[in-house]
């Protein structure tokens, strides 16, 4: 297991052939750290969680960096993928749906980011891409009760704990910022 929780960190080249679980928890993931994660050699990896964060807290990683992870074809053992806590959470939905990597997962974790009711239609338009999932996690997002209700049945289990039903769009934030 490798778990890093920090405000800022850099990783360099990661070659971890026996690593099974990696978690990178931050309120501000750097572009270089995201590139290291996307290029890491970890063929035995089963569980990957990446928290992106907010530019106000140092996040320089973008949706393109998350999409690079989704493009991986060499993570044959991966069953849990969390690309979460992102300001651009909704922008990833079509990429999750098109990803071959997502097809092998049992859990897709999209929690803790800016996921809104306006993204529900996009999720439902790609419902077939998520139907195989045992768990789809959209917890701690900005989905209202009505939005969460519309998503029922999209995966085996839909996790929606801690969603914020209200909030001025000007003040929406990711779950973990600092």
């Amino acid at each position: 297991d490798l778990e890093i929780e920090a405000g800022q960190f850099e990783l360099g080249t990661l070659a971890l052939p026996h690593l099974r679980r990696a978690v990178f928890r931050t309120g501000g993931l750097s572009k270089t750290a995201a590139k290291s994660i996307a290029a890491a050699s970890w063929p035995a990896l089963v569980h990957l969680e990446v928290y992106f964060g907010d530019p106000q807290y140092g996040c320089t990683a973008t949706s393109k960096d998350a999409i690079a992870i989704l493009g991986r074809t060499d993570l044959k053992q991966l069953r849990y993928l969390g690309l979460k806590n992102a300001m651009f959470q909704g922008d990833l939905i079509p990429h999750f749906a098109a990803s071959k990597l997502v097809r092998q997962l049992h859990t897709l974790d999209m929690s803790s980011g800016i996921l809104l009711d306006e993204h529900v239609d996009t999720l439902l338009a790609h419902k077939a891409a998520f139907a195989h999932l045992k768990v789809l996690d959209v917890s701690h997002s900005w989905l209202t009760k009505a939005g969460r209700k519309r998503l029922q049945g999209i995966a085996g289990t839909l996790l929606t704990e801690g969603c914020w039903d209200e909030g001025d769009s000007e003040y929406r934030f990711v779950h973990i910022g600092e």
Side-chain angles (χ1 to χ4, degrees):
D1 280 9
L2 171 65
E3 191 162 336
I4 296 174
E5 182 172 347
Q8 291 286 313
F9 55 85
E10 296 304 325
L11 298 168
T13 301
L14 297 172
L16 303 163
H18 303 292
L19 187 71
R20 299 199 34 88
R21 181 177 176 273
V23 178
F24 302 96
R25 189 175 294 115
T26 181
L29 187 70
S30 73
K31 182 175 266 315
T32 56
K35 287 179 186 269
S36 293
I37 293 166
S41 174
W42 38 31
L45 197 66
V46 175
H47 180 110
L48 176 61
E49 276 181 74
V50 182
Y51 291 68
F52 287 88
D54 187 314
Q56 292 183 348
Y57 296 105
C59 180
T60 56
T62 67
S63 61
K64 289 181 183 180
D65 299 308
I67 292 165
I69 296 168
L70 289 170
R72 299 279 301 257
T73 58
D74 60 332
L75 301 175
K76 305 293 184 199
Q77 303 303 314
L78 195 69
R79 297 297 175 260
Y80 174 106
L81 178 62
L83 299 182
K84 52 202 285 184
N85 201 54
M87 297 294 291
F88 48 79
Q89 204 74 52
D91 298 338
L92 295 179
I93 296 168
H95 302 283
F96 283 130
S99 172
K100 290 180 183 178
L101 187 61
V102 170
R103 293 180 200 150
Q104 72 189 40
L105 301 177
H106 67 69
T107 299
L108 177 59
D109 187 344
M110 301 171 57
S111 68
S112 301
I114 307 297
L115 193 60
L116 311 167
D117 282 8
E118 66 193 55
H119 300 122
V120 170
D121 287 335
T122 307
L123 280 163
L124 292 174
H126 297 289
K127 185 176 181 173
F130 304 114
H132 73 283
L133 293 170
K134 291 185 186 338
V135 177
L136 177 62
D137 190 345
V138 295
S139 299
H140 301 287
S141 66
W142 293 90
L143 293 171
T144 65
K145 185 176 182 179
R148 296 188 306 265
K149 184 175 182 178
R150 289 184 60 212
L151 286 177
Q152 290 301 316
I154 194 167
T157 299
L158 179 68
L159 299 178
T160 62
E161 295 82 27
C163 286
W164 296 292
D165 286 327
E166 301 295 327
D168 186 329
S169 62
E170 184 179 346
Y171 299 106
R172 288 187 182 134
F173 49 87
V174 294
H175 188 66
I176 298 173
E178 294 184 54

